[in-house]
Amino acid sequence: MHYLRLFYILYVLAWARLDEFLANQGAFTLIHRVLNVVLFWRKQSAPRAVRLRMALEKLGPIFVKFGQMLSTRRDLLPVDVADELAKLQDRVPPFPFAQVKTTIENAFGLPIEQVYAEFDTAPVASASVAQVHFATLANGQEVAVKVLRPGIAKVIHQDIALIKSLAWLVQALSSEGKRLKPLDIVDEFARHTEHELDLTLEAANCTQLAKNFPDKRLLIPEVYWDDCRKEVMTMQRMHGVPISQIDVLREKGIDITQLAHDGVEIFFTQVFRDGFFHADMHPGNIQVATEGIHKGKYIALDFGIMGSLSDTDKYYLARNFLAFFNRDYRDVAVAHIESGWVPPSTNVEELETAIRAICEPIFDKPLKDISFGRTLLSLFQMSRRFGVIIQPQLVMLQKTLLNIEGLGRELDPNIDLWQTAKPFLKKWMSEQVGWRSILKSVQKELPFVLKNAPEMPRLVHQFLQQNIQAQQHTPQQTKLAELIQAQHRHAKWQKWTSLSIAVLVLLQLASLIIILVK
């Protein structure tokens, strides 16, 4: 069956004449010529990107998901291919309720009636890995239940193994394949897909995102952990209108312009404040509350794909954004070098000029007049010329930024993304490098310092005594002189230790006063 599946994949790729992508690449040149002869009668009028999308759809949901992931790698793909792959939709026919029932009962070891008081047999959403049903718990709480597709793990592992075989073939026989490193791309895809096979990981993502927004600026469903298993996730049922239904939102009295600005701010909050963001923010995963106290707020759904950034990533990203906003392209170039995104030998002046040529034309324009797709493509082309190393942790951020752009354009074509984000980023940077950062560090470290302060003189004394004992082989006068110096140092250490503790206490008191004044 494994080889039959591989044969079918090769047949679909050949039938769609996708050999065109590698027509002039090493051994594939001969394959291309042979197919030209064998399939001389099959003329392809559709563009290559369309044929690729249709072939992936024909090969099934795992290939569709792989194509969706590829669409985010605009640093590797031509813009026409990336745009076409972005149209792929992860929608497959639902599996029968009998299989849903069996999966739930096997997961909990109980009849489904003992887990849920009511269970809607018709799914509300169905994708390649799981589908969602509405249900009610014994206490009357309305919930949404996500259930893994039976046997999907085996299908995923088999198809990923076949994709990896094809990637190895491309990388081994094509010079372009060596540059694109398809095996690394497949490994990245495999890691993300493997996480989707454990719904407790998605539940943990959901819980963490909710903790990051206790003010409910972004509404996240509550997870009911007692009713979660690896194959089943039970969460609060959310009531809202899909973000794509703008006319309905207007009828409900939602301020669309404010919604657009809130979306940008929420995105930058997730990225720069928390370093943990929803990385699958397409319209199907975003709703808006239209009733009650949370009217007009975003509702996030589906937490299988999340992104995370380190403090270093956040610092250099914020520095790059602010430099862009201020048109300080030299600082952009320097930040790229300091962060390690480009080789240290890069000529700063040349990199600055290249960045200016790409970014200067996009300023002072409304969002509707800016094509971030073309801008990103230009930046990636420039990146290859300067040897820029595309960071894996930034790939999902690039994808999410494009989703935010599309969402902003739909809601308010005149929104200025730069001006909306600039005040937020300035505040964030001041909190990282200004007096707020110092105060925050003092508040964090003060308990440790106060706890260990009484022991510091004794520890310093022990350290000095050890040094004196280690030097007993020296002449007597030398030892005496060093002993005197050690005592002086000891006295200075005690003085500075006491002074440092006093300063820390004063800073802590100042921070408390500031909090009380606010």
Side-chain angles (χ1 to χ4, degrees), residues 209-210 213 215-220 266 270 278 281 297-300:
L209 194 60
F213 286 91
D215 57 0
K216 303 295 184 182
R217 273 192 301 160
L218 178 64
L219 302 179
I220 313 294
I266 288 172
Q270 290 182 68
H278 195 303
M281 295 183 70
K297 293 184 179 179
Y298 284 100
I299 300 170

Side-chain angles (χ1 to χ4, degrees), residues 152-390:
I152 189 61
K154 182 179 179 181
V155 173
I156 286 176
H157 293 151
Q158 287 179 345
D159 273 359
I160 287 179
L162 293 172
I163 294 173
K164 185 171 289 189
S165 299
L166 294 173
W168 176 86
L169 191 65
V170 171
Q171 187 162 314
L173 301 180
S174 163
S175 58
E176 184 70 4
K178 291 181 176 66
R179 183 185 71 81
L180 297 178
K181 297 182 179 178
L183 281 172
D184 291 345
I185 296 173
V186 176
D187 287 340
E188 178 188 340
F189 172 67
R191 284 194 300 272
H192 290 306
T193 307
E194 192 69 31
H195 287 168
E196 292 187 63
L197 295 177
D198 186 348
L199 294 182
T200 60
L201 297 178
E202 179 174 345
N205 291 337
C206 180
T207 301
Q208 182 59 53
L209 194 60
K211 288 180 179 178
N212 291 344
F213 286 91
D215 57 0
K216 303 295 184 182
R217 273 192 301 160
L218 178 64
L219 302 179
I220 313 294
E222 180 183 354
V223 174
Y224 299 98
W225 282 100
D226 289 343
D227 300 304
C228 289
R229 298 293 187 273
K230 184 177 180 179
E231 304 84 0
V232 183
M233 175 182 173
T234 304
M235 60 194 135
Q236 176 187 3
R237 178 177 176 178
M238 307 300 284
H239 297 275
V241 174
I243 190 65
S244 57
Q245 299 181 14
I246 298 176
D247 291 338
V248 176
L249 293 174
R250 285 198 177 98
E251 290 175 3
K252 297 285 187 178
I254 303 299
D255 186 338
I256 302 299
T257 301
Q258 184 62 46
L259 202 62
H261 286 269
D262 290 345
V264 173
E265 184 175 336
I266 288 172
F267 166 70
F268 282 104
T269 299
Q270 290 182 68
V271 171
F272 291 106
R273 187 194 68 185
D274 306 324
F276 184 76
F277 59 94
H278 195 303
D280 197 20
M281 295 183 70
H282 61 75
N285 288 339
I286 305 174
Q287 296 182 356
V288 179
T290 58
E291 306 290 342
I293 60 174
H294 296 306
K295 181 177 180 179
K297 293 184 179 179
Y298 284 100
I299 300 170
L301 303 171
D302 196 344
F303 309 92
I305 304 176
M306 305 295 291
S308 59
L309 299 171
S310 68
D311 289 340
T312 302
D313 291 329
K314 289 190 290 183
Y315 171 77
Y316 281 111
L317 278 171
R319 181 174 167 184
N320 273 281
F321 273 118
L322 285 173
F324 274 123
F325 295 149
N326 296 323
R327 305 189 190 188
D328 185 354
Y329 303 117
R330 184 174 184 82
D331 193 43
V332 175
V334 172
H336 271 66
I337 294 172
E338 290 182 356
S339 65
W341 296 348
V342 296
S345 59
T346 302
N347 185 294
V348 177
E349 286 73 20
E350 289 183 9
L351 183 58
E352 176 189 356
T353 300
I355 293 172
R356 176 181 286 106
I358 293 169
C359 298
E360 189 67 23
I362 72 175
F363 282 98
D364 297 326
K365 291 182 179 180
L367 193 59
K368 66 179 180 180
D369 296 332
I370 299 174
S371 172
F372 283 97
R374 284 196 296 270
T375 303
L376 280 175
L377 178 61
S378 299
L379 285 171
F380 290 143
Q381 289 172 339
M382 178 275 294
S383 298
R384 285 199 292 269
R385 179 158 61 91
F386 284 92
V388 170
I389 304 168
I390 301 299

Side-chain angles (χ1 to χ4, degrees), residues 12 83 109 120 129-130 138 248 278 328 363 371 383 417 452 455 474:
V12 171
D83 287 344
D120 192 341
V129 174
V248 176
H278 195 303
D328 185 354
F363 282 98
S371 172
S383 298
L417 182 67
N452 293 280
E455 300 179 18
T474 59

